Amino acid sequence: MTDEASTDCDDAVPDRVGILAGWGSFPVELAEHYRSHGAQVHVVAIKGHAAPELENLSDSLRWTGVLKIGAGLKYFESKSVRHVAFAGKVFKDRILYHGRGWIEHMPDFTCYRLLGSSFITRRTDGRDDTILNAIMEEYRRRGIEVLPITKTAKHLLASEGCLTQRRISRAQRRDIDFGWQIARQMGGLDIGQSITVKDQIVLGVEAIEGTDALVTRTATICPRGGFTLVKVAKPNQDMRFDVPTIGPQTIERLARAGGSAVAIEAGKTIVVELTKTVELANKLGISIVVQPAEASKSEIARDAAAATPKASCTDLIVANQRPSSSRTQVQSASSRAA
Amino acid sequence: MTDEASTDCDDAVPDRVGILAGWGSFPVELAEHYRSHGAQVHVVAIKGHAAPELENLSDSLRWTGVLKIGAGLKYFESKSVRHVAFAGKVFKDRILYHGRGWIEHMPDFTCYRLLGSSFITRRTDGRDDTILNAIMEEYRRRGIEVLPITKTAKHLLASEGCLTQRRISRAQRRDIDFGWQIARQMGGLDIGQSITVKDQIVLGVEAIEGTDALVTRTATICPRGGFTLVKVAKPNQDMRFDVPTIGPQTIERLARAGGSAVAIEAGKTIVVELTKTVELANKLGISIVVQPAEASKSEIARDAAAATPKASCTDLIVANQRPSSSRTQVQSASSRAA
């Protein structure tokens, strides 16, 4: 009961927390964060994806195939974990279409039961949202809450403003405004999160291949460089999974590909290793711009229902775009980056 | 005046016709078609794009950079051409971002005047529709009509049905239905025309790089193969330019990449070298499925305005999806392919 009480407070970390860890440094940073708040950390690490250093950062860890959904659940249950965070990308293509994938990630019975309709009978589609919602529903049914990043590690979310010394040019501003609208609409289709833009032309669109592959490909499309990477949350982004993420590797890859700026969304994008990311961007001459978050329709509706009758819809949008904690977050981001 | 009168009839070819020729065999096939109907053919051929064999298929030809819009116009005027077809893809990335591009395609004064707002002052975006509408408006202003493919070479448009011996599986049917909706919505954003799909997952999305590059890339994302290429018209496809096109090269590339089917839209997709395309698909085990065309909102509105009060909206959609000439077209397609 302690755990549940503790999560009532918005930013509180549960005493005992599980991480279902995919690729990259986000699960690592999350584990460090939880440990630094005195929580016990139990990790289910996805083979071929999760970082080995998680072994030293957790109280217990089990390696498993991504499709061993029942096994993961059982492991968390055995450790009495009642709160789990899904963190880090899972490369669906590596699992589904590449040689060793199916062997390493052989589905267990729970997986068949949950995802059979996506991959065997194909009654439902194979979009991330479809799959992850089915998995989360099973966690919920077994009494385990999947935590949104906004609840336990809010500080990892980017705050509005330009994070780098290098500001953006007027042409880049136009590219970002243009790309932003396109990427938002793309996000609504749940295909990918990123596009690359130059001269108000969409150079590339991300699907299953991931942002890194998109950036690398853009280098061959536009060897002259100078393009912008626009990475946005979906209009109804579920903050429990698939939250757009950038980090040092994004910046490095962008610089190598000749890109010159990246635009992300405030309060809805994770910046892993913030200090290192900003330092690297400054060194490599990349601008990082955090755009004000756009309120989704459902957010506006929800807030409108809760609002006093006098508040207009515009007020609500503005309020949503500029959360009250925004300034403090920008400051803390800058101070961390300094 | 003869020319104008002749185009009043839906399928008539003008006595004298111009082709602004981009990449691929579509301009070649169009020139052959016009010549076989006794028309004089004058070609403005885009350097690095148009096929050299056009020289033997035209009454006159001039090579030019794609951005010499004024020069192209003047050439057609000098040949007293009053009807021009825009045919064949232009690789925007090759012109804009690759080394030699700007030199070979150095813009002329008309180009600066028309497209300055897209590429210099950047007041407007650089989407295909924006650029091509500006160019077509200039043609119109100078008294030259840009011909829609529906008017002069309707037989090049695919007709509903499965064109190949190999039919599609139930899984492919689901992939096509799923991909179709996504691709239609993507088309509304005017980014690209194609996506690749497998297991109701979008593997890749085309932007500036073109369909061929998308297909090649999908091979690395999904080395196990078996994916479907879905290529659709935009919801408000302008049949004067940028009409989705497939041909033998599409089939060859798809087969090499491990793809197994391609879905296109009836009456809105050009199949160049139809016989060769279908023969090749049969040989390589690829299915070609031509989906019924979906009426765009503007088409429904237009037809509704012209319809008798009794016709319901559903009737109009059905009527639009199955044009009366559809059956004859399918038959002629099959007989050509046989």
Side-chain angles (χ1 to χ4, degrees), chain A residues 273-289:
Chain A
E273 301 180 70
L274 180 65
T275 315
K276 192 173 161 194
T277 303
V278 174
E279 274 170 6
L280 202 60
N282 284 335
K283 197 179 116 196
L284 298 171
I286 303 271
S287 315
I288 305 176
V289 180

Side-chain angles (χ1 to χ4, degrees), chain A residues 217-232:
Chain A
R217 172 167 98 237
T218 305
T220 68
I221 294 168
C222 180
R224 202 168 287 158
F227 62 89
T228 297
L229 170 68
V230 177
K231 188 161 192 169
V232 302

Side-chain angles (χ1 to χ4, degrees), chain A residues 62 69-79 110 142 144:
Chain A
R62 179 179 170 170
I69 297 167
L73 257 166
K74 217 173 277 176
Y75 186 72
F76 287 135
E77 280 172 339
S78 77
K79 299 292 175 188
T110 311
R142 305 263 281 256
I144 297 179

Side-chain angles (χ1 to χ4, degrees), chain B residues 62-274:
Chain B
R62 179 177 169 172
W63 288 98
T64 181
V66 71
L67 298 173
K68 309 268 192 225
I69 297 167
L73 256 167
K74 218 173 277 175
Y75 185 73
F76 287 135
E77 280 172 340
S78 77
K79 300 291 175 188
S80 306
V81 164
R82 288 267 149 267
H83 300 92
V84 167
F86 288 7
K89 190 176 162 62
V90 170
F91 291 95
K92 219 160 37 164
D93 56 333
R94 288 196 203 160
I95 297 158
L96 287 172
Y97 307 122
H98 290 253
R100 295 172 317 119
W102 275 104
I103 299 162
E104 209 163 65
H105 299 280
M106 188 66 79
D108 61 14
F109 178 71
T110 311
C111 179
Y112 277 126
R113 189 166 51 76
L114 291 177
L115 304 182
S117 66
S118 279
F119 295 109
I120 302 167
T121 65
R122 321 260 170 179
R123 274 177 294 110
T124 52
D125 63 58
R127 295 198 216 191
D128 290 349
D129 280 359
T130 312
I131 295 168
L132 280 156
N133 277 317
I135 296 173
M136 287 202 303
E137 176 54 27
E138 181 66 13
Y139 270 71
R140 198 200 53 75
R141 217 180 55 80
R142 305 263 282 255
I144 297 179
E145 188 192 352
V146 177
L147 298 168
I149 179 80
T150 40
K151 223 171 183 176
T152 55
K154 221 178 187 172
H155 68 283
L156 292 179
L157 296 172
S159 306
E160 204 183 319
C162 183
L163 303 186
T164 47
Q165 285 154 4
R166 182 165 184 153
R167 310 275 134 176
I168 50 165
S169 67
R170 247 187 294 177
Q172 284 174 322
R173 177 76 268 160
R174 274 187 296 256
D175 282 350
I176 292 171
D177 291 344
F178 169 78
W180 199 257
Q181 298 313 318
I182 302 270
R184 288 282 292 183
Q185 292 175 74
M186 291 279 319
L189 303 176
D190 192 17
I191 304 172
Q193 301 175 314
S194 308
I195 61 170
T196 46
V197 192
K198 189 181 176 178
D199 302 335
Q200 297 179 67
I201 293 171
V202 178
L203 303 178
V205 171
E206 175 192 344
I208 203 176
E209 76 277 23
T211 308
D212 286 352
L214 166 69
V215 168
T216 306
R217 171 167 100 236
T218 305
T220 67
I221 294 168
C222 180
R224 201 169 287 160
F227 61 89
T228 297
L229 170 68
V230 177
K231 187 161 192 170
V232 302
K234 294 171 205 162
N236 287 310
Q237 179 69 49
D238 190 323
M239 297 306 286
R240 289 172 300 177
F241 62 80
D242 209 15
V243 179
T245 305
I246 68 161
Q249 190 179 319
T250 320
I251 302 301
E252 252 168 34
R253 205 171 271 248
L254 196 65
R256 215 178 312 143
S260 56
V262 50
I264 54 176
E265 192 167 359
K268 293 185 176 177
T269 315
I270 295 163
V271 183
V272 290
E273 303 180 68
L274 180 66

